[in-house]
């Protein structure tokens, strides 16, 4: 477990310890992009669902019409939280505003939101905040502070990020943005919306910023705003400054254990936002092995869900989360609050974690594990005298095929 730095405020220190011990969270990418479900004008899109507006270069006025069709009456916050809790996830992160610029909560700062612009007229974030109370699942939010395709200057500066030669901002509706325009967008929309999120929805475990803020001073202002409103709310490095923990690249695992708090976000299939035709699902065993791998490297596992436009979680996701929960109900001690094993290299048969004097062997390749001893190399007398608590354990699955 990562040790917080000395001199930090107590609430932040406790939050960092909680985050390090938690190891497993769920990411929820949900917005207007769920409505086309990976299709646009009769054909399948070839990229991730939440980037539909950007990939198809859909004009703002046309994309806004999706809000009139967004009525997720199948959404049930308590079912979502119960599912997360049963899966063994310790936190849940909802996209409060993704790059499309649409707020998935009732924003007074901008009427382009799920309450004011859709027939649904409900605030899913408020319902999730209420559903999380009294459970083992803490609530966090994703917020795209830089890229906003509904805004002329949101991630649309001449020197901003590009993807496959295209700027990340909306350059099909708007001319190149300016730093003055971006600063105005930050003051008019970003800061007021962050203030709403930090004051109206109870304690937030974290804010998952995305795409680095162009100006370091502006990134620091946002960090200070969050720290002022909620001293224990963690922030990831995608804010554009180191912040409280490192966010690795999408679907990445570090080559070796990391020292700073870190997290890797991972998709269950090939998209973050819902695409009906994407059935390239990872198996439950694959995701359990990813959880073991990341835990052995002192890194959290943030597993993505892409809810359907009706607000329900796709059945393949539900089935895999049930299997992960069953495995964690047996083997959670090898994951939660566990540290990397003090070994110079990764074993060929899997991964190892450690808690005090206990080593946990995560055997992900049984064919290469023949002869792996449940022995720490100490003779019984030495172990009893010097390390009376030392022992090895090999986590097992609720059924043989999950191994791990």
């Amino acid at each position: 477990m990562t040790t917080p730095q000395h001199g930090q405020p107590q609430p932040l220190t406790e939050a960092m310890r909680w985050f390090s011990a938690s190891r497993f969270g769920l990411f929820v990418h949900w917005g207007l992009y769920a409505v086309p479900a990976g299709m646009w004008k009769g054909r399948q899109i070839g990229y991730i669902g939440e980037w539909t507006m950007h990939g198809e270069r859909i004009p703002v006025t046309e994309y806004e019409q999706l809000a009139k069709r967004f009525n997720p009456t199948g959404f049930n916050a308590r079912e979502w939280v119960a599912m997360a809790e049963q899966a063994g996830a310790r936190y849940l992160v909802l996209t409060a505003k993704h790059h499309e610029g649409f707020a998935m909560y009732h924003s007074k700062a901008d009427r382009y939101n799920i309450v004011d612009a859709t027939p649904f007229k409900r605030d899913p974030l408020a319902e999730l905040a209420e559903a999380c109370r009294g459970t083992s699942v803490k609530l966090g939010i994703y917020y795209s502070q830089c890229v906003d395709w509904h805004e002329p200057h949101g991630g649309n500066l001449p020197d901003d990020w590009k993807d496959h030669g295209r700027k990340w901002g909306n350059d099909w509706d708007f001319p190149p943005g300016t730093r003055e325009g971006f600063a105005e967008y930050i003051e008019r929309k970003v800061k007021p919306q962050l203030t709403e999120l930090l004051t109206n929805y109870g304690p937030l475990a974290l804010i998952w910023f995305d795409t680095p803020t162009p100006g370091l001073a502006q990134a620091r202002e946002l960090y200070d705003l969050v720290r002022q409103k909620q001293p224990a709310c963690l922030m990831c490095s995608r804010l554009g400054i180191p912040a409280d923990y490192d966010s690795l690249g999408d679907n990445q695992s570090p080559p070796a254990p990391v020292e700073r708090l870190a997290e890797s976000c991972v998709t269950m299939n090939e998209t973050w936002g819902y695409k009906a035709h994407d059935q390239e699902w990872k198996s439950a065993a694959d995701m359990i092995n990813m959880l073991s791998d990341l835990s052995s490297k002192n890194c959290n596992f943030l597993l993505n869900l892409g809810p359907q436009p009706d607000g329900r979680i796709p059945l393949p996701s539900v089935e895999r989360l049930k299997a992960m929960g069953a495995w964690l109900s047996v083997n959670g001690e090898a994951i939660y609050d566990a540290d990397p094993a003090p070994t110079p290299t990764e074993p060929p048969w899997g991964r190892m974690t450690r808690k005090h004097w206990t080593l946990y062997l995560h055997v992900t390749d049984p064919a290469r594990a023949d002869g792996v001893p449940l022995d720490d190399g100490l003779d019984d007398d030495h172990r009893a005298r010097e390390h009376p608590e030392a022992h090895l354990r090999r986590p097992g699955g609720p059924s043989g095929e999950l191994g791990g």
Side-chain angles (χ1 to χ4, degrees):
M1 184 173 71
T2 302
T3 302
Q5 298 178 359
H6 293 294
Q8 292 175 160
Q10 186 64 21
L12 181 59
T13 296
E14 293 176 357
M16 295 177 81
R17 285 177 177 154
W18 162 82
F19 184 83
S20 181
S22 295
R23 288 296 179 232
F24 179 32
L26 293 180
F27 213 176
V28 182
H29 275 73
W30 196 33
L32 293 182
Y33 42 82
V35 176
M39 300 287 294
W40 193 252
K41 296 186 175 179
R43 62 178 182 82
Q44 294 182 5
I45 64 170
Y47 26 80
I48 46 182
E50 71 283 3
W51 278 66
T52 298
M53 181 180 179
H54 183 276
E56 296 296 317
R57 305 179 77 76
I58 305 170
V60 165
T61 54
E62 185 177 356
Y63 194 82
E64 287 176 336
Q65 303 308 306
L66 293 175
K68 298 177 181 179
R69 298 164 48 195
F70 193 32
N71 191 22
T73 55
F75 168 70
N76 186 311
R78 294 195 182 281
E79 288 182 358
W80 281 23
V81 173
M83 176 191 65
E85 194 166 37
Q86 291 165 8
R90 296 295 173 84
Y91 56 105
L92 184 151
V93 181
L94 176 72
T95 48
K97 178 177 79 79
H98 204 274
H99 305 329
E100 64 182 0
F102 183 79
M104 289 295 292
Y105 73 98
H106 192 195
S107 174
K108 301 294 180 62
D110 191 292
R111 290 186 58 82
Y112 193 46
N113 67 77
I114 192 168
V115 176
D116 293 323
T118 78
F120 189 52
K121 303 299 180 187
R122 284 164 51 190
D123 186 334
L125 184 59
E127 295 178 27
L128 283 170
E130 178 62 30
C132 283
R133 292 190 185 100
T135 74
S136 60
V137 179
K138 293 191 177 185
L139 180 64
I141 60 164
Y142 166 108
Y143 188 88
S144 177
Q145 82 284 3
C146 178
V147 176
D148 188 321
W149 300 322
H150 202 251
E151 296 285 336
H153 302 276
N156 193 28
L157 302 181
D159 55 349
D160 269 349
W161 299 82
K162 291 185 177 181
D163 182 64
H164 296 95
R166 290 183 178 181
K167 291 180 60 177
W168 281 13
N170 183 344
D171 61 356
W172 58 94
D173 277 313
F174 308 117
T178 64
R179 295 202 171 273
E180 294 77 14
F182 182 78
E184 187 274 337
Y185 152 72
I186 291 287
E187 295 297 326
R188 171 179 50 80
K189 186 172 184 179
V190 174
K191 287 183 179 179
Q193 288 194 330
L194 286 175
T195 299
E196 292 172 340
L197 292 165
L198 290 161
T199 55
N200 296 339
Y201 296 92
L204 296 176
L206 59 89
I207 295 185
W208 213 97
F209 288 108
D210 198 12
T211 62
T213 311
L216 293 180
Q218 288 167 324
R220 173 55 64 177
E221 288 176 6
L222 297 182
Y223 182 89
D224 291 343
L225 171 63
V226 175
R227 188 62 64 239
Q228 176 189 12
K229 298 293 184 183
Q230 290 203 25
C233 181
L234 301 176
M235 287 165 273
C236 77
S237 57
R238 296 195 189 196
L239 175 58
I241 56 178
D244 303 315
Y245 69 93
D246 291 334
S247 175
L248 306 185
D250 297 352
N251 294 294
Q252 288 188 355
S253 175
V258 295
E259 295 185 4
R260 260 176 59 88
L261 286 178
E263 177 189 70
S264 178
C265 56
V266 176
T267 57
M268 277 200 188
N269 49 5
E270 299 296 320
T271 184
W272 303 91
Y274 178 69
K275 291 172 66 175
H277 60 271
D278 184 351
Q279 300 299 315
E280 299 296 321
W281 299 98
K282 299 176 178 71
S283 70
D286 286 340
M287 290 184 286
I288 289 169
N289 291 345
M290 289 178 189
L291 175 60
S292 292
D293 174 61
L294 290 166
S295 297
S296 75
K297 296 171 180 176
N298 202 31
C299 187
N300 283 18
F301 180 48
L302 186 62
L303 182 61
N304 185 69
L305 303 173
Q308 299 169 169
D310 64 1
R312 293 182 172 87
I313 305 298
L315 183 59
S317 296
V318 175
E319 293 171 342
R320 283 153 178 77
L321 289 178
K322 285 181 178 178
M324 294 187 72
W327 187 88
L328 281 165
S329 70
V330 175
N331 303 299
E333 66 181 89
I335 298 294
Y336 305 121
D337 204 15
D339 293 317
T343 55
T345 59
E346 295 174 349
W349 41 260
R351 299 291 183 264
M352 292 192 291
T353 55
R354 173 181 63 87
K355 191 177 293 182
H356 305 298
W357 289 106
T358 302
L359 282 177
Y360 300 94
L361 312 184
H362 302 248
V363 180
T364 58
D365 189 352
R368 305 180 71 180
D370 289 344
V372 173
L374 290 182
D375 185 4
D376 50 17
L378 303 176
D379 64 75
D380 291 341
D381 289 341
H382 180 91
R383 184 186 302 108
R385 183 175 63 254
E386 301 292 339
H387 307 294
E389 298 178 356
H391 60 288
L392 298 178
R393 293 190 63 183
R394 178 186 290 186
S399 57
E401 71 274 13
L402 292 181

